[in-house]
Amino acid sequence: MPDRNILEEFMKLLNQPGPVNWALATQLADHLSGPAEPLDPWLAEEYLELARYARLRFTQATGVMSDPMAEAVLVDRKGWTQHNLQSFSYIAEPLAAKLTGSASPGPLDAVLRQLGPALLGMQVGAMVGMMSEGALGLFDAGLPTAEPSGIVFLVPNIETFASESGLDHRQVRLWSALHEVVHDALAGHAWVRPYVVGLFKELSASVELDPETLSGWQEELADPAKLEARLSQGGGFPALFGGPLQEDRLDDIRRFITVMDGYGSYLVECASAGLLPELGSIRNAMSSRRRDHRGQALLGGMFRLETTAGTHGPAAAFCTEVEERWGDAAVRRVWERPENLPLSEELNDVTGWAARVLLDDPFTV
């Protein structure tokens, strides 16, 4: 491979301790993020000012509180990987526990204990490294981080997106700032992180390990050429461990991402009224960007999950219709607790959602 022999480093790092090989994840993410890119200090100051303004504007326009103490973090691609490498640990660690707990005594147990953490580290490192290539901020990742991370701007990617789309850079910066503030506020609700962690625990518990596939890795370990060929095939966790993922578990995660993206876009529209003349053009550019990279979804290397952040998808249209029919207070019920999230079929049936969620409230349904 160019620059560094990642496969050779993989072999050296194979025996790192822990359920996830974070040393390997660090090496791979650092390699994929490319060289450091210095940030212009004047541009950095503008981003910090926009973050402060976006927090105030969001609260004033929507009545939804955001953390006034949250400091904006400005990063390049390499800084993104350093900031976020363990931010999505809750995705991999439940599967690591399953691998360890499911292993039977004997040769397969030894393979799992050695290879499982390395494969999980490789997946996480690849995921975060690939995120650094295209994400604009945490809102663009589709899922909340394991711990509060504040507002994060991946500055070179935002600037590139504005230039390649022919958009006004200042409007794209403010639009990104509003999305980051909204994402941070939504992820900050007390139920959100425990709920998402629970979803991935349920998904990991549903994975069926295939001993034949797992045993096959033992042969690859002894042959670097075969190992490199196997790793290059991709396919996420099912390909790594041989067992299928239950679609209903994945659907729950997809639904959460869809609603978080859509509700966030709805709130950004409320907060940006009169501020962003190019809002429609920015959305269209984001939609084109999603289509062009559909095969490279930010979380696709792990679970074939896609985010619709920044576009006016079905969940954003759902929130708009709820607001038009029953007002702002009804829309806020969407994010009040996980039971209020619209079901997949309710995204096109707001009356059905209202009948399930709003009947105990004084709304006219």
Side-chain angles (χ1 to χ4, degrees), residues 34 42 54 70 77 100 137 158 175 188-189 193 200 253 276 287 323 327 354:
W42 292 101
R77 296 179 182 90
T100 302
I158 296 172
W175 174 87
H189 283 236
R193 286 186 169 90
F200 277 97
I253 299 173
L276 299 175
S287 295
E323 189 275 332

Side-chain angles (χ1 to χ4, degrees), residues 34-298:
E37 302 169 274
L39 304 180
D40 180 88
W42 292 101
L43 182 60
E45 184 60 33
E46 180 177 343
Y47 272 96
L48 295 176
E49 288 292 337
L50 284 172
R52 289 189 281 268
Y53 173 74
R55 281 196 293 268
L56 292 173
R57 175 72 179 189
F58 171 63
T59 300
Q60 292 172 353
T62 68
V64 179
M65 294 299 297
S66 63
D67 184 0
M69 303 302 293
E71 287 294 327
V73 178
L74 311 180
V75 295
D76 62 358
R77 296 179 182 90
K78 193 166 291 295
W80 170 270
T81 64
Q82 295 168 355
H83 187 79
N84 287 306
L85 185 61
Q86 297 195 35
S87 294
F88 304 97
S89 57
Y90 62 85
I91 299 176
E93 287 178 351
L95 187 54
K98 181 179 179 68
L99 285 169
T100 302
S102 299
S104 302
L108 182 56
D109 177 63
V111 171
L112 285 175
R113 291 185 182 280
Q114 180 187 45
L115 189 58
L119 293 175
L120 291 170
M122 180 192 69
Q123 284 287 292
V124 175
M127 181 188 77
V128 176
M130 287 188 292
M131 279 185 180
S132 73
E133 296 178 7
L136 306 182
L138 286 176
F139 80 92
D140 207 15
L143 288 168
T145 52
E147 301 292 338
S149 297
I151 300 165
V152 181
F153 296 105
L154 213 169
V155 175
N157 288 4
I158 296 172
E159 297 299 307
T160 298
F161 168 65
S163 296
E164 292 181 349
S165 304
L167 298 166
D168 182 88
H169 283 248
R170 291 186 175 182
Q171 291 190 49
V172 172
R173 292 166 194 158
L174 178 55
W175 174 87
S176 299
L178 288 169
H179 269 285
E180 279 296 288
V181 168
V182 168
H183 180 87
D184 184 58
L186 296 184
H189 283 236
W191 64 267
V192 171
R193 286 186 169 90
Y195 176 70
V196 175
V197 169
L199 289 178
F200 277 97
K201 284 183 177 179
E202 292 176 359
L203 178 64
S204 295
S206 74
V207 173
E208 297 178 7
L209 305 180
D210 180 10
E212 183 177 347
T213 300
L214 292 168
S215 296
W217 284 102
Q218 196 168 17
E219 181 181 347
E220 270 77 10
L221 272 176
D223 189 330
K226 289 184 178 180
L227 179 60
E228 185 171 19
R230 171 76 78 94
L231 296 178
S232 68
Q233 294 173 7
F237 283 152
L240 288 177
F241 302 113
L245 296 173
Q246 290 188 7
E247 281 299 318
D248 58 338
R249 305 293 187 186
L250 276 176
D251 285 343
D252 288 339
I253 299 173
R254 291 187 183 109
R255 179 167 61 95
F256 173 84
I257 294 173
T258 297
V259 176
M260 187 175 192
D261 288 347
Y263 187 43
S265 293
Y266 163 82
L267 291 173
V268 167
E269 181 172 344
C270 295
S272 62
L275 291 178
L276 299 175
E278 290 191 2
L279 178 59
S281 297
I282 295 172
R283 280 183 182 160
N284 290 337
M286 282 295 290
S287 295
S288 297
R289 175 173 171 266
R290 298 286 178 213
R291 289 193 296 270
D292 292 343
H293 297 86
R294 185 169 297 277
Q296 304 172 17
L298 295 184

